[in-house]
Amino acid sequence: MIKIWGWEKKPRTMLRFLKIGDIFCFKYDEHIYCFGRIIAHVMFHIVEIFDYFSEQPVITEEDILSAGRLLVIPLDTYSLFDRRSEGEWRIIGHQEGYIPENVEDIWFSWGIASGCRKSNPLNQTVFISEEEWRALPSLSPGGDYDVKREMEDKRKENG
């Protein structure tokens, strides 16, 4: 079950209250709102950004269930939702009992030298070579600018 309480209810959510399954909304620019969900906590929160956009900060359960996944990225949830130091991001709902699907092949690298590792949103971690470490995206939390840049890169990649 997905519960949506909307944009105005919670302008700020403290880090300790963020949960897997939380639905969020953020302002992409002056005219477009984007949406996503917290899917995991692997050192940092990992989120998915939906391929659903709106001119209003409004999304329905049907929109969420039918939305595709545009991007999966580690997110600096402290700066965005708790401190609100960049961008306009808000938790607007929650999907109770959410379990991420189709994430076992999404990996992020971390560590250095002989301690190179990769982790996925299922919190599976394995040691890897430095070569593989360099080829994977970093498990480093991004902020507002990083997410928007990744979204723009994805849009260009998809034509």
Side-chain angles (χ1 to χ4, degrees), residues 8-59:
E8 295 300 325
K9 183 169 183 190
K10 292 178 76 175
R12 175 179 179 235
T13 302
M14 292 172 45
L15 185 64
R16 70 176 176 245
F17 294 116
L18 292 174
K19 298 181 289 297
I20 293 170
D22 280 349
I23 307 296
F24 58 86
C25 178
F26 65 97
K27 268 184 120 169
Y28 184 79
D29 60 26
E30 292 305 311
H31 307 287
I32 302 292
Y33 290 88
C34 300
F35 303 85
R37 171 176 35 218
I38 297 175
I39 63 172
H41 189 263
V42 181
M43 289 189 275
F44 306 104
H45 287 103
I46 309 291
V47 304
E48 63 182 351
I49 306 295
F50 301 140
D51 64 357
Y52 176 84
F53 309 94
S54 175
E55 292 180 359
Q56 300 294 319
V58 176
I59 191 168

Side-chain angles (χ1 to χ4, degrees), residues 42-43 106-110 117-121 124-125 139:
V42 181
M43 289 189 275
I106 299 172
W107 295 94
F108 300 97
S109 65
W110 57 282
R117 297 175 182 93
K118 67 179 180 180
S119 295
N120 67 12
Q124 298 169 325
T125 300
L139 183 59

Side-chain angles (χ1 to χ4, degrees), residues 26-138:
F26 65 97
K27 268 184 120 169
Y28 184 79
D29 60 26
E30 292 305 311
H31 307 287
I32 302 292
Y33 290 88
C34 300
F35 303 85
R37 171 176 35 218
I38 297 175
I39 63 172
H41 189 263
V42 181
M43 289 189 275
F44 306 104
H45 287 103
I46 309 291
V47 304
E48 63 182 351
I49 306 295
F50 301 140
D51 64 357
Y52 176 84
F53 309 94
S54 175
E55 292 180 359
Q56 300 294 319
V58 176
I59 191 168
T60 66
E61 180 173 357
E62 294 78 29
D63 294 330
I64 293 167
L65 295 175
S66 65
R69 181 183 287 155
L70 178 67
L71 185 66
V72 175
I73 189 169
L75 194 66
D76 182 358
T77 50
Y78 178 69
S79 293
L80 297 172
F81 297 113
D82 191 331
R83 298 289 300 154
R84 297 181 36 99
S85 60
E86 58 178 304
E88 188 68 33
W89 293 66
R90 296 184 188 186
I91 300 296
I92 62 165
H94 182 76
Q95 183 172 352
E96 194 64 43
Y98 174 74
I99 298 171
E101 297 176 352
N102 303 316
V103 295
E104 53 280 341
D105 294 328
I106 299 172
W107 295 94
F108 300 97
S109 65
W110 57 282
I112 56 171
S114 64
C116 295
R117 297 175 182 93
K118 67 179 180 180
S119 295
N120 67 12
L122 298 175
N123 214 7
Q124 298 169 325
T125 300
V126 294
F127 283 93
I128 57 175
S129 69
E130 273 191 67
E131 183 178 326
E132 185 177 4
W133 177 84
R134 278 195 267 295
L136 290 171
S138 174

